[in-house]
Amino acid sequence: MTTPPHPEDLEQPAYPDDLEQPGLVRTGRSTFVRPIRPEDADRLVAFVGGLSRATLAYRSLGPVIRARDDVIRRGAYVDYLNELALVALAGDEIAGLVRYVRDTEDPDHAEVTFTIRDDDQSEGFGRLLLEHIAAAARDRGIRVLKADVLADNTRMINVFLGSGYRVESGPPGQIVHFDIAVDPQAQAVARAERREHTAVRRSLRPLLEPRSVAVIGANRRPLTIGHEIVANLLRGGFRGSVFPVNPRAGQVAGTRAYPSVRELPEPPDLALIAVRAEAVPEVVRECAEAGVKAVVVVSTGFGEAGAAGRSTELELSRFARASGMRLVGPNCMGVVNTTPAARLAATFSPALPTPGRVAMSSQSGPLGLAVLDFARRLRLGFSGFVSVGHAVDVSTNDLLQWWEEDPETSVILLHVETFGNPRRFARIARRVAPRKPIIAVHPGHAHATGQVDRGGRGDPGGHGDSGGRGHSAGHADPLGPPGPSDSPGPSDSAVSSLFAQSGVIRTRSLQELFDAALLLAHQPPPPGNRVAVITNAGGPAALTVGACVASGLRVPPLGERTRETLRAALGPGAEVANPADLTPMATAAHYRQALDAVLADAEIDAAIVLFMPPLADKPDEVAAAILDAAEAAPSKPVVASFLGGAGVADLLHRGELVVPTYAFPESAAASLGHAAAYQAWRSTPAGVVPDLPGVDTDRARSLLAGCAPGPVPPRIAAELLDSYGIAVRDTETGSGPASGPSSGQGSGPDAFLSVGADPVFGPVVAFGLTGDYADLMADVAHRVTPLSDRDAREMVRSLRAAPLLDGRVGGPGVDLAALEETVLRISAMVEDLPEIEAMELRPIRLLPPGDGVAVTRATIRLADETRKGGPS
């Protein structure tokens, strides 16, 4: 009998590092999931050796049989294609293992087994590993995972039945057989997102609501980072224990210090690390050994210092996750949570925010210092502020999910340069924004130049780096560099439309960010865009009207009944148009009567009140009148430009009621414009993502399995599109099935559809007409996937050239229904096949109504596996 070769003598296949992903189990505990490696052989032996007899019995479906060490070691050698094993790590140990082995006779099926360490079987490792192995199997052409489970193994049975995947089980008996279809069913995605949302919130509790905090690198000298963090924790009223750690100090800021984290009287929930960069890895390891649940690395000298620093910070992230910790930073300024449950000021910032309803995530440490100082001067209160720094672990997507359910937070502000997982951000934003406004500052420079951060950011929620690339414009060739007439990215207006589609209010400066936050933190969004202007000075009123129009607002004539009320109150000579000019002699009573009248007008949705230095009456009385009127009409926002002040003024603040004031009326108008657009988005039906007939995802994945990164051969590109019900007739090569006329005879203008990866939003679909419409007029529509039927309809009708499509100009128009369906099919294709980095259909012949569309050429490019984003 021939002796099989030893695994160590075999040539090892390439390790799929794209499957390395941090994760969270149901309890919020962090872990790190990755493919098994040959060097895991000893870990695997220790893992199996520590399993109880009961667990081994469930694993072996019967009598307990102790395998020999050499047999166990062979389990660490897999080919990552036909056999794949993933491990979930707890520190340096294996907490859970899942393995599939492909069926040689039925290669789209595989046998799957799960083994979870006894002490971890109630934490949710099974569901987490099922999600990861299902995604990996799907990418490797496996449609069904088969599993046999003892009938009394209720935990594993519940994992399968509660996964959301399509599960078929055999007849009841001692052993239950399951067939698990790994296609991402909507129910499976929804359940995975709910599980992750719960896990993220639990994992962040030690960070944002800790019971005790250690400051490692605490310093005795005031005005040093280590000293100011301790001082702020104490000044901020933190109710838990504060443990300064300094081996050469007995006290810091009047509080007893300890030589090391190992010698603390209890394991702290949170540790802030402010030591030299080279000492950070060892300190993080000590924190893990001491049982710390979350760390904030304030120290600098990592990714910003070069490739070696970037490598170090990624290793820190992996180690922290495998050790059950969450990590903020490095290169950050700390964490603030002013809510009554926390009262946490874990930062070295000299300006601490007052309690309020606004939460903010910032990627820039120095900018964060300026933000807190500016917010304090405006008297804009914060519920929370997190400086995420390099965001190798905790970042914006995590924090959105925390603030989503925080009762003390009503507005969320974001300063972000890139998102680790842009697909995830878009989905979370669409879920959060209908209930809580999200305002982001984004100047748009990355899009205007095509330059993006290709290093990626750690995805919050544990989904890895985006590896994003700037996406091509609708009319750029996605397979090559932009040509002379090609735009390297969407226009600034297109970027705004992408934010708007996701429900995020986009601002271009920090001033604009805070102006919008002031309004939405203290006033309701307006039910519409119709604004009344009340003033005691004509010049500023004219500027206000112009600013309203520029911000998408209307300043309509007041209703006749409102004008009659104003004439009766103000006298026959008063100007009762809109703006309503009360003259410099206006009294507090005049302001109250005018505001009451316009807010009662059914044709008015909001009011801007201008009060310049007066010739008569007292400002405090006018302010009281404004507050009284605003209180009497709580569903309509009132904002002011009052004596040139800005922020929350004492005169316009009464208990919970605040009328925000702006130094200039243009800022008030711009803020109302943002709020009105947000309310319009929130009130608009979202549409549905329809089920499309004729889609064969299995065929598409089989085609992709044989393709290398980079451009896809034209024949394969045509077959991929055909798998999604889009026929291609390549007039240059003659490949692809026929799809109607290949000439423009009897058709409308030619069009294009393209897809590219945006660093903020992920996959973006662009649509436009070819030629001068796109090249000269930049008449291109953009939307973020997945697209609903409403998105597709609005997209094709939003072009300035839309009259050419719907028959209003130049003939009967084109088959809009077929065009919209093509857009939806492209969206579904990109969502199902994340390997697609860029795609362009150009030209598309737009045919008369009832004749469909004809795609004459398609180009597709696949991403390098090392740059693929995490699962969405």
Side-chain angles (χ1 to χ4, degrees), residues 258-343:
Y258 296 83
S260 74
V261 70
R262 296 188 183 95
E263 299 181 52
L264 296 179
E266 64 183 68
D269 282 345
L270 172 64
L272 285 96
I273 300 174
V275 300
R276 299 186 314 276
E278 56 269 25
V280 168
E282 180 58 30
V283 171
V284 171
R285 184 171 294 277
E286 290 178 4
C287 288
E289 293 171 353
V292 174
K293 297 181 178 66
V295 292
V296 175
V297 180
V298 177
S299 309
T300 61
F302 292 92
E304 77 279 9
R310 176 64 177 165
S311 177
T312 300
E313 67 186 19
L314 291 178
E315 285 302 317
L316 282 176
S317 171
R318 293 188 182 104
F319 174 79
R321 278 306 191 95
S323 301
M325 297 189 299
R326 300 305 306 267
L327 185 148
V328 174
N331 192 15
C332 70
M333 56 173 286
V335 176
V336 175
N337 186 355
T338 69
T339 63
R343 298 179 66 176

Side-chain angles (χ1 to χ4, degrees), residues 47 102 184 340 442 484 574 621 644 721 759:
F47 171 69
R102 193 189 298 266
H442 188 277
E621 295 178 359
L721 287 158

Side-chain angles (χ1 to χ4, degrees), residues 156-175:
M156 204 66 238
I157 290 172
N158 288 335
V159 166
F160 293 149
L161 296 179
S163 67
Y165 292 107
R166 190 171 67 252
V167 176
E168 296 180 3
S169 58
Q174 183 180 2
I175 296 176

Side-chain angles (χ1 to χ4, degrees), residues 180-237:
I180 307 155
V182 298
D183 276 340
Q185 304 293 316
Q187 186 181 31
V189 173
R191 289 187 182 181
E193 288 188 351
R194 285 197 298 271
R195 182 198 65 77
E196 184 195 65
H197 174 71
T198 300
V200 165
R201 286 189 51 80
R202 287 174 175 168
S203 77
L204 293 182
R205 193 169 298 281
L207 171 71
L208 297 172
E209 293 181 356
R211 294 166 297 181
S212 53
V213 180
V215 181
I216 304 169
N219 200 304
R220 287 173 293 188
R221 289 187 295 110
L223 302 182
T224 59
I225 289 176
H227 183 278
E228 293 308 305
I229 293 173
V230 176
N232 278 339
L233 283 165
L234 299 174
R235 281 197 297 264

Side-chain angles (χ1 to χ4, degrees), residues 599-676:
L599 291 174
D601 191 329
E603 301 301 314
I604 295 297
D605 301 307
I608 299 176
V609 184
L610 310 181
F611 181 70
M612 302 301 148
L615 298 178
D617 220 330
K618 298 178 181 179
D620 56 342
E621 295 178 359
V622 174
I626 294 171
L627 287 171
D628 290 341
E631 189 172 29
S635 63
K636 295 183 178 181
V638 176
V639 297
S641 182
F642 198 88
L643 295 174
V648 178
D650 285 330
L651 292 178
L652 290 171
H653 183 189
R654 179 193 298 157
E656 295 294 317
L657 177 62
V658 172
V659 172
T661 185
Y662 298 87
F664 301 105
E666 295 92 337
S667 299
S671 299
L672 264 180
H674 285 308

